[in-house]
């Protein structure tokens, strides 16, 4: 049974935080490395869309779990969710991406765990 409709669902930042907060689903940040380092959601896992599209496998701690993809504004994460769904991964994305996440007042940290920014 799937938590999400494969590759077609979109969540608000608040819904994404709720669904990933208990550890059942994982927040997968698909931005490029420099964007990730500047600021990401605490607990998110990083795998860029460019690597994913090139055939990179999901990290071991993400496999067999529903995925909530997030990027800067929602475009790349929507592509990632569709790509993951084509690989039989239960995936949705976050409408508005990290920009909307930060605007909702949700935490953003940099690679050192300090206050981050959306690059």
């Amino acid at each position: 049974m799937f938590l999400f409709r494969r590759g077609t669902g979109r969540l608000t930042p608040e819904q994404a935080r709720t669904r990933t907060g208990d550890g059942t689903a994982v927040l997968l940040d698909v931005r490029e490395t420099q964007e990730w380092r500047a600021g990401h959601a605490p607990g998110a896992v990083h795998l860029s869309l460019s690597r994913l599209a090139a055939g990179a496998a999901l990290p071991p701690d993400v496999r067999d779990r529903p995925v909530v993809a997030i990027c800067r504004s929602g475009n790349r994460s929507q592509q990632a969710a569709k790509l993951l769904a084509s690989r039989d991964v239960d995936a949705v994305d976050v409408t508005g991406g990290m920009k909307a996440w930060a605007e909702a007042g949700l935490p953003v940290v940099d690679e050192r765990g300090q206050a981050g920014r959306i690059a």
Side-chain angles (χ1 to χ4, degrees), residues 30-107:
V30 298
R31 296 175 298 152
E32 295 300 321
T33 301
Q34 65 275 13
E35 295 173 288
W36 163 264
R37 287 181 178 153
H40 56 272
V45 174
H46 179 242
L47 178 62
S48 68
L49 176 60
S50 60
R51 290 190 56 225
L52 194 60
L58 290 171
D61 56 336
V62 177
R63 294 180 195 146
D64 300 320
R65 293 172 62 194
V67 171
V68 177
I70 194 165
C71 65
R72 184 173 190 268
S73 62
N75 184 38
R76 288 176 284 178
S77 59
Q78 192 171 28
Q79 292 175 47
K82 288 177 182 175
L83 177 63
L84 290 167
S86 75
R87 296 181 186 175
D88 289 327
V89 174
D90 190 4
V92 296
D93 78 294
V94 179
T95 302
M98 284 300 299
K99 288 172 62 177
W101 180 278
E103 288 170 5
L106 299 174

